[in-house]
């Protein structure tokens, strides 16, 4: 085989290999491991099943976040350090925004082993 034929076959093989790699279907979970963590609220559009969004807390403290539904109602949720809150559909309705509020959350447990209490202040 001459040099030009070997180069042509190598180029064709590389083209086929790169095309095949591009066709591999990766799940969102594997891409999430590669992507940096997004802090705060983000919507998933289009939704993945019933999952419509997340709130990621990127900090070492407990915080309170306020959620707003597309119906106009809202409520607060405690988020633990470095915690993630998923948001799911409630029938046809979904959470459209979530953000940090300065009101401290209610926490329970001894120092160093605390968790979010069931009841949280409305802010």
């Amino acid at each position: 085989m001459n040099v030009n034929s070997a180069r042509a076959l190598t180029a064709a093989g590389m083209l086929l290999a790169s095309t095949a790699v591009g066709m591999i279907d990766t799940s969102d979970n594997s891409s999430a491991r590669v992507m940096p963590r997004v802090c705060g609220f983000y919507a998933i559009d289009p939704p993945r099943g019933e999952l419509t969004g997340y709130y990621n807390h990127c900090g070492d403290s407990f915080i309170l976040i306020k959620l707003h539904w597309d119906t106009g109602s809202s409520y607060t949720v405690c988020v633990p350090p470095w915690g993630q809150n998923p948001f799911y559909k409630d029938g046809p309705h979904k959470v459209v925004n979530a953000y940090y509020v300065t009101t401290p959350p209610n926490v329970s447990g001894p120092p160093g082993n605390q968790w979010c209490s069931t009841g949280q202040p409305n802010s």
Side-chain angles (χ1 to χ4, degrees), residues 3-4 7 9 20 23 42-45 83 89-90 95 97 108 123:
V3 174
N4 288 338
R7 286 182 184 158
L9 286 174
M23 294 174 66
Y42 65 97
I44 298 173
D45 192 22
K89 290 181 186 179
D90 182 12
V95 172
N97 196 9
S108 301
S123 180

Side-chain angles (χ1 to χ4, degrees), residues 41 43 52 55 65-77 87-88 93-101 123:
F41 174 77
T52 61
Y55 186 93
I65 61 172
K66 188 165 195 164
L67 311 176
H68 290 276
W69 286 85
D70 59 3
T71 59
S73 63
S74 64
Y75 67 97
T76 56
V77 173
F87 304 120
Y88 297 94
H93 304 292
K94 65 180 184 175
V95 172
V96 293
N97 196 9
Y99 53 88
Y100 166 79
V101 292
S123 180

Side-chain angles (χ1 to χ4, degrees), residues 17-79:
S18 64
T19 302
V21 168
M23 294 174 66
I24 295 173
D25 183 30
T26 58
S27 69
D28 290 334
N29 292 337
S30 65
S31 62
R33 282 184 258 137
V34 176
M35 298 295 292
R37 182 176 172 141
V38 176
C39 300
F41 174 77
Y42 65 97
I44 298 173
D45 192 22
R48 279 186 255 148
E50 298 294 305
L51 183 65
T52 61
Y54 282 102
Y55 186 93
N56 286 321
H57 174 42
C58 299
D60 290 327
S61 61
F62 286 84
I63 64 167
L64 196 66
I65 61 172
K66 188 165 195 164
L67 311 176
H68 290 276
W69 286 85
D70 59 3
T71 59
S73 63
S74 64
Y75 67 97
T76 56
V77 173
C78 174
V79 183

